[in-house]
């Protein structure tokens, strides 16, 4: 179990992060002062640090956080450090990121985003450490999929086919539907499985830090760069690089990314030495990239570089056969679901998809005093509609229309990309009253 050190002078924040991280299987050490943080760093095995920028009442300059950062960086030079900062210290946080901090998040933070950043950087540290030792980085936990619905069975079959090749894959689907797990699954079933699997949330990268984050930076490349920074492409050499939320990448970032995909070469910031890497790229998005191309916000040439094969994850509401098996999996080992609870779960629209279902199961287990989860342990509406909201119906209509147009209304191809049978696609066309232009 990975250990996270949380440093903040506010006991409410320490309690909140302790609960959040513990629910996601992290061991948590908390420190409310600089001294306690240094003692913990000296005496415990720490996999990642989350630190505030101020530790004295009435202090808002961020100077204390800056001082602590350099102390922790000296004690634990390879341990990822995430800064939690108020907007007033944003400039200083960016300076520290350029000096080796892993990332920064504003207060109040987003739990989902924080967990993604923690998971990505703990994996990156593990990968880099094994590379430095000259060993391989093979995950012993190949992603396990709970699959009962026909659309997901078809998608996993396609994932197995593309895994053995070395082509670029674009994974599309709504937030929380499991895009990262599909990417991990492809990597673990590929010839690159013994090499790193590095994840990057492109939506969380500030534009001014993107180049250093992806391609690395030399010592002295900019103010505060006291050590050489290894970029994500370099860390993933021989393995797979997963670029999540690729639709959020700026046009300048898209141009730099395109060059690496075309040549496999780049230079660290502050260096003229060209580095060559062998990296398979898997990307993911919940955006409509074809519309973004039409709007001029996404490069068409980059799109076709990334999208040799597209895998589309249907939302959970369209694969209802997976809801109860997934819920049983999330609570297995400690709890069971009552029959009336399963009936309630199967009726929900699950607009947050698999992630929402998992979070609800975790919350219910905390609220339950016994081992049987009842409807009242879930914060759900027993009279929830069995269909999605009008907004999601509109989203579905746009997605189906976009895929049909992309394949010039060749039903077999469009159905395959959407993860539907031909009959289901025909029903969707009729439902949304779609016509070919």
């Amino acid at each position: 179990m990975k250990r996270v050190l949380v440093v903040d002078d506010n006991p409410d924040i320490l309690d909140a992060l302790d609960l959040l991280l513990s629910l996601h299987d992290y061991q948590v050490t908390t420190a409310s002062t600089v001294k306690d943080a240094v003692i913990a760093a000296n005496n415990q095995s720490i996999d990642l640090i989350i630190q505030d920028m101020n530790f004295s009442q009435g202090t808002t300059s961020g100077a204390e956080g800056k001082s602590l950062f350099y102390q922790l960086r000296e004690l634990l030079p390879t341990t990822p450090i995430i800064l939690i900062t108020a907007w007033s210290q944003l400039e200083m946080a960016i300076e520290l990121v350029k000096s080796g901090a892993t990332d920064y998040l504003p207060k109040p933070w987003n739990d989902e985003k924080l967990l993604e950043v923690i998971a990505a950087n703990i994996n990156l540290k593990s990968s880099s450490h094994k590379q430095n030792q000259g060993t391989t980085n093979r995950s012993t936990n190949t992603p396990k999929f709970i699959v009962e619905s026909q659309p997901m069975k078809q998608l996993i079959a396609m994932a197995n086919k593309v895994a053995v090749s070395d082509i670029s894959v674009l994974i599309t689907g709504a937030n929380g539907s499991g895009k990262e797990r599909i990417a991990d699954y492809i990597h673990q079933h590929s010839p690159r499985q013994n090499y790193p699997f590095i994840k990057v949330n492109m939506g969380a990268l500030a534009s001014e830090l993107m180049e250093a984050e992806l391609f690395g930076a030399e010592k002295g490349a900019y103010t505060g760069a006291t050590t050489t920074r290894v970029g994500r492409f370099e860390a993933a050499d021989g393995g797979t690089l997963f670029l999540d939320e690729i639709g959020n990448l700026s046009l300048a970032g898209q141009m730099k990314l395109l060059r690496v995909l075309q040549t496999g070469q780049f230079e660290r910031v502050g260096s003229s030495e060209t580095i060559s890497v062998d990296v398979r790229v898997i990307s993911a998005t919940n955006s409509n990239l074809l519309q973004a191309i039409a709007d001029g916000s996404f490069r068409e040439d980059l799109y076709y570089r990334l999208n040799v094969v597209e895998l589309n994850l249907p939302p959970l509401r369209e694969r209802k056969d997976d809801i109860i098996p997934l819920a049983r999996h999330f609570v297995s080992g400690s709890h069971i679901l009552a029959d009336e609870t399963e009936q309630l779960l199967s009726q929900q629209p699950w607009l947050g998809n698999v992630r929402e279902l998992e979070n609800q199961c975790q919350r219910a287990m905390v609220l339950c005093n016994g081992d049987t989860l009842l409807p009242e342990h879930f914060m759900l509406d027993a009279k929830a509609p069995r269909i999605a909201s009008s907004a999601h119906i509109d989203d579905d209509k746009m997605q189906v229309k976009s895929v049909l147009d992309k394949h010039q209304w060749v039903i077999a191809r469009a159905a395959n990309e959407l993860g539907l049978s031909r009959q289901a696609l025909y029903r969707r066309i009729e439902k949304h009253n779609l016509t070919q232009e």
Side-chain angles (χ1 to χ4, degrees):
M1 185 178 291
K2 301 296 185 180
R3 182 179 294 277
V4 177
L5 170 62
V6 181
V7 190
D8 199 296
D9 65 320
N10 187 328
D12 292 336
I13 289 180
L14 292 179
D15 289 343
L17 287 174
D18 191 357
L19 176 60
L20 173 68
L21 299 180
S22 297
L23 286 174
H24 288 80
D25 296 327
Y26 294 106
Q27 286 185 317
V28 182
T29 296
T30 59
S32 58
T33 66
V34 171
K35 180 180 178 181
D36 290 344
V38 172
I39 291 174
N42 267 315
N43 293 281
Q44 297 188 41
S45 175
I46 304 296
D47 296 290
L48 182 138
I49 299 168
I50 302 173
Q51 73 153 82
D52 190 21
M53 295 296 291
N54 298 290
F55 304 100
S56 299
Q57 189 172 3
T59 301
T60 60
S61 67
E64 292 176 315
K66 181 177 180 179
S67 174
L68 174 61
F69 167 78
Y70 284 114
Q71 291 183 66
L72 295 175
R73 174 56 64 233
E74 184 174 350
L75 290 170
L76 303 171
T78 64
T79 298
I81 300 178
I82 299 171
L83 308 173
I84 299 183
T85 174
W87 285 113
S88 58
Q89 293 109 40
L90 185 56
E91 185 176 346
M92 181 175 292
I94 292 175
E95 175 191 335
L96 295 182
V97 169
K98 290 180 177 179
S99 299
T102 296
D103 213 328
Y104 66 87
L105 295 173
K107 288 183 177 179
W109 64 85
N110 177 285
D111 285 353
E112 182 178 306
K113 185 70 68 176
L114 177 60
L115 290 169
E116 288 178 358
V117 172
I118 290 172
N121 285 285
I122 282 182
N123 288 339
L124 178 62
K125 179 194 176 187
S126 176
S127 299
S128 300
H129 175 69
K130 290 182 178 181
Q131 273 191 308
N132 291 338
Q133 289 184 326
T135 62
T136 61
N137 178 39
R138 180 173 186 176
S139 169
T140 58
N141 297 313
T142 300
K144 179 181 178 181
F145 281 93
I146 310 299
V147 174
E148 294 294 337
S149 66
Q150 190 60 32
M152 283 302 294
K153 289 179 180 178
Q154 292 174 351
L155 186 137
I156 295 300
M158 180 62 72
N160 283 321
K161 289 181 181 178
V162 302
V164 297
S165 69
D166 211 28
I167 58 177
S168 298
V169 179
L170 175 65
I171 305 172
T172 58
N175 283 335
S177 56
K179 297 187 291 295
E180 182 179 315
R181 288 183 61 82
I182 287 289
D184 199 357
Y185 181 90
I186 292 172
H187 171 73
Q188 297 300 340
H189 289 79
S190 76
R192 296 175 180 265
Q193 61 184 292
N194 291 326
Y195 293 90
F197 178 65
I198 304 298
K199 309 171 189 177
V200 186
N201 185 339
M202 305 302 290
L205 288 182
S207 57
E208 62 268 30
L209 299 175
M210 188 278 297
E211 190 171 0
E213 188 73 21
L214 290 180
F215 311 127
E218 291 293 328
K219 178 179 179 180
Y222 40 69
T223 303
T226 57
T227 60
T228 297
R229 185 186 184 97
V230 175
R232 302 300 179 96
F233 266 96
E234 197 170 348
D237 190 21
T240 304
L241 183 64
F242 176 53
L243 303 178
D244 198 7
E245 297 188 26
I246 191 67
N248 293 333
L249 187 60
S250 67
L251 283 171
Q254 292 174 36
M255 183 174 64
K256 294 173 182 175
L257 176 60
L258 180 62
R259 183 212 167 194
V260 183
L261 294 178
Q262 290 173 332
T263 66
Q265 297 180 332
F266 60 90
E267 293 79 37
R268 290 177 180 166
V269 177
S271 173
S272 59
E273 180 184 355
T274 299
I275 298 174
S276 297
V277 292
D278 173 22
V279 174
R280 181 187 194 176
V281 173
I282 300 175
S283 53
T285 184
N286 64 347
S287 304
N288 185 332
L289 294 186
L290 292 176
Q291 185 60 51
I293 292 171
D295 295 340
S297 60
F298 201 86
R299 294 178 62 107
E300 186 174 14
D301 47 2
L302 177 59
Y303 173 77
Y304 288 111
R305 278 280 175 182
L306 297 172
N307 185 15
V308 178
V309 170
E310 181 174 344
L311 299 179
N312 179 262
L313 271 80
L316 188 56
R317 64 181 179 274
E318 293 182 6
R319 42 185 172 111
K320 287 186 174 293
D321 290 344
D322 292 331
I323 294 176
I324 301 308
L326 282 167
R328 290 172 178 168
H329 170 72
F330 292 143
V331 305
S332 64
S334 59
H335 293 78
I336 60 174
L337 299 169
D339 291 343
E340 58 269 31
T341 304
E342 293 191 353
Q343 183 178 2
L344 172 66
L345 297 180
S346 65
Q347 293 174 351
Q348 300 301 309
W350 298 114
L351 304 184
N353 295 296
V354 180
R355 186 180 296 139
E356 181 188 2
L357 175 61
E358 182 177 12
N359 289 346
Q360 285 283 1
C361 290
Q362 290 175 341
R363 185 182 295 113
M365 286 188 286
V366 172
L367 297 176
C368 179
N369 292 323
D371 59 4
T372 301
L373 297 175
L374 303 174
E376 54 263 33
H377 296 133
F378 290 82
M379 298 179 184
L380 298 171
D381 183 1
K383 297 180 180 180
R386 294 176 182 267
I387 59 174
S389 67
S390 60
H392 282 76
I393 292 174
D394 290 340
D395 289 344
D396 181 65
K397 179 178 179 180
M398 290 178 60
Q399 181 186 31
V400 171
K401 179 67 163 59
S402 174
V403 174
L404 284 166
D405 289 342
K406 172 184 173 182
H407 293 290
Q408 300 177 324
W409 282 68
V410 177
I411 298 299
R413 295 178 184 174
N416 183 60
E417 178 167 333
L418 289 166
L420 301 172
S421 66
R422 296 188 200 184
Q423 292 77 11
L425 179 54
Y426 279 121
R427 288 194 296 270
R428 202 73 63 83
I429 292 170
E430 181 179 4
K431 172 185 175 183
H432 296 313
N433 195 26
L434 298 175
T435 57
Q436 185 175 7
E437 297 177 357

